[in-house]
Amino acid sequence: MELLLRARELAVARRFRESRALVERAEPGSAEELSLAASVLVELRDPQAALPLARRAVALAPDDWRGHLAVADATFQLRWWGESAAAARRAVALAPEEAAAHRALGVALNRRIGGGREARREVKRARELGGRGALRTPGRRSPWWLLPIVAPLAVAVVLSAVGDWPDAVEDLMLLARVVPPVLVLLLIVMPSRAGLTWSERIAELRAVNEERYGDGGRAARRRAGPAAMPWGCALAVGAGLLAVPAADGDPLSASVVVPAVLIGGGVLVILARRTIRLWYGERFLREVFVPSVFVRVHLVAAGVLGGGVVLLTLGDAPPGSWRVLLIWSVVWFLFGMISALFVQGPPESEQKAVDQGPGGPEKEPADS
């Protein structure tokens, strides 16, 4: 029990690795210990591991509000708003004077259409019982993660507004504009579980991708479009960069353009193949990605854009022709991003319990 209490203190203090190490050493057996272990895992943003423990706690002690609260918090992180609200209602019924139960019910109802008025009432009650600290949602990210994204943009905007700067400073300002999108991409692909090293995070995400998309099913086929999107966009950006000088009347020489198209295109294809194999697995690459219509369309576009750049360079084309190619590159860049969303379609429901059986998720006993 002391181990779990210390793990919760460390998790709240955002010392996630130490907290995870302690909770993995613990062996909870009672309903109280299972609820506490589940609450620690919720703080670590690991609801898949927390939910089975919370449900075991409810099965052992159905009249203990802490188990129902752990179920509510875990299902809230899984975005199962209905189940979260139902579990929080049971916690409130069992412990109407507990601020955490009212907080859990309030935040769950706030995500459901038509639940705003009741949600505000529950949040107000939680604040009356426990103060502002009672409104803290377990596992919520610190707002400081925005700083690396906002700070470079702010620096670039301020420097641009001040006046002219040497070329070196201009290059730094350009870099400051590029860094935030890269950081956003890393945050998007980064697994949400806290307390893991970078190597563990990457290994975890690769394992999830192989399990989810390695069977060649519908989800894998829908994933082929978004997986190809970065490479199609990179192709459009490369062609656009080669076309910009010529569109301004100062074309690059053929000795630069032709090797750039051939070598750059080959490197892009090799890099795409290896990255897809690393991130999604060999089976996804061979059976889903390569045969995908979306990928073949990108390859045709690569031939058109690359061939167009080479032909316009060798043919000493006027700036007007290069502007047409530049516009086509921009159009293809936008098409690659937007069409990937339509190819992927709406996300499939992932609402399934970790310990569900053939008949679906395990149901909680109804209140008498």
Side-chain angles (χ1 to χ4, degrees):
M1 192 68 175
E2 293 181 2
L3 205 64
L4 291 171
L5 290 172
R6 178 58 178 163
R8 184 170 63 179
E9 292 175 2
L10 293 171
V12 173
R14 312 193 68 80
R15 295 165 62 179
F16 297 127
R17 293 185 186 177
E18 298 174 58
S19 176
R20 182 173 290 278
L22 289 180
V23 77
E24 288 177 351
R25 284 169 49 195
E27 297 179 358
S30 66
E32 184 180 1
E33 291 175 344
L34 288 167
S35 300
L36 182 56
S39 69
V40 174
L41 290 168
V42 168
E43 288 285 359
L44 297 175
R45 299 190 294 275
D46 195 355
Q48 291 87 351
L51 187 55
L53 299 181
R55 285 188 167 150
R56 283 173 56 194
V58 170
L60 288 175
D63 294 332
D64 189 341
W65 68 275
R66 289 169 293 189
H68 295 287
L69 176 64
V71 171
D73 287 336
T75 49
F76 180 82
Q77 286 191 355
L78 290 169
R79 300 176 181 274
W80 303 352
W81 317 128
E83 187 172 348
S84 179
R89 284 190 191 280
R90 290 191 286 272
V92 169
L94 292 168
E97 299 303 315
E98 290 293 338
H102 289 278
R103 181 267 308 158
L105 180 56
V107 297
L109 290 172
N110 192 49
R111 298 303 182 99
R112 303 182 66 185
I113 297 176
R117 179 177 299 178
E118 187 180 2
R120 288 190 294 271
R121 185 169 63 247
E122 293 297 330
V123 170
K124 180 181 179 181
R125 180 58 177 159
R127 186 171 182 176
E128 291 173 353
L129 292 171
R132 290 189 60 87
L135 302 182
R136 176 184 172 276
T137 303
R140 187 173 183 178
R141 295 181 182 274
S142 169
W144 289 106
W145 69 270
L146 288 169
L147 184 62
I149 298 175
V150 175
L153 284 176
V155 171
V157 170
V158 170
L159 291 179
S160 300
V162 168
D164 295 331
W165 294 91
D167 291 342
V169 177
E170 294 287 347
D171 293 340
L172 288 176
M173 292 164 59
L174 177 61
L175 180 62
R177 293 187 181 95
V178 172
V179 168
V182 174
L183 292 176
V184 170
L185 179 62
L186 290 175
L187 288 170
I188 291 174
V189 303
M190 185 174 62
S192 60
R193 292 171 61 197
L196 302 177
T197 63
W198 269 104
S199 59
E200 289 171 333
R201 289 179 188 272
I202 293 173
E204 179 191 57
L205 188 56
R206 287 174 57 192
V208 169
N209 284 337
E210 286 204 45
E211 179 182 356
R212 184 176 299 172
Y213 307 120
D215 60 353
R218 184 187 175 197
R221 293 192 298 273
R222 289 166 55 186
R223 188 62 186 172
M229 179 192 67
W231 311 105
C233 292
L235 158 73
V237 169
L241 291 176
L242 292 175
V244 165
D248 292 336
D250 187 19
L252 300 173
S253 65
S255 61
V256 174
V257 172
V258 175
V261 170
L262 297 178
I263 297 175
V267 168
L268 195 63
V269 170
I270 294 173
L271 187 60
R273 185 182 182 89
R274 292 191 175 184
T275 303
I276 295 299
R277 180 189 290 115
L278 174 69
W279 210 238
Y280 296 100
E282 179 68 27
R283 186 176 177 184
F284 177 85
L285 173 67
R286 288 187 289 103
E287 299 181 9
V288 178
F289 186 76
V290 172
S292 169
V293 173
F294 198 77
V295 173
R296 295 183 181 183
V297 170
H298 273 299
L299 290 176
V300 171
V304 172
L305 288 174
V309 169
V310 172
L311 291 176
L312 291 179
T313 301
L314 297 178
D316 196 19
S321 301
W322 284 102
R323 293 192 188 99
V324 172
L325 183 65
L326 180 59
I327 294 173
W328 170 243
S329 300
V330 174
V331 169
W332 189 255
F333 178 85
L334 297 175
F335 170 81
M337 291 194 298
I338 297 173
S339 60
L341 300 177
F342 288 96
V343 169
Q344 185 178 19
E348 292 183 347
S349 174
E350 296 180 3
Q351 181 168 336
K352 56 182 181 179
V354 179
D355 56 350
Q356 70 181 45
E362 181 180 292
K363 301 295 182 183
E364 305 293 351
D367 294 335
S368 55

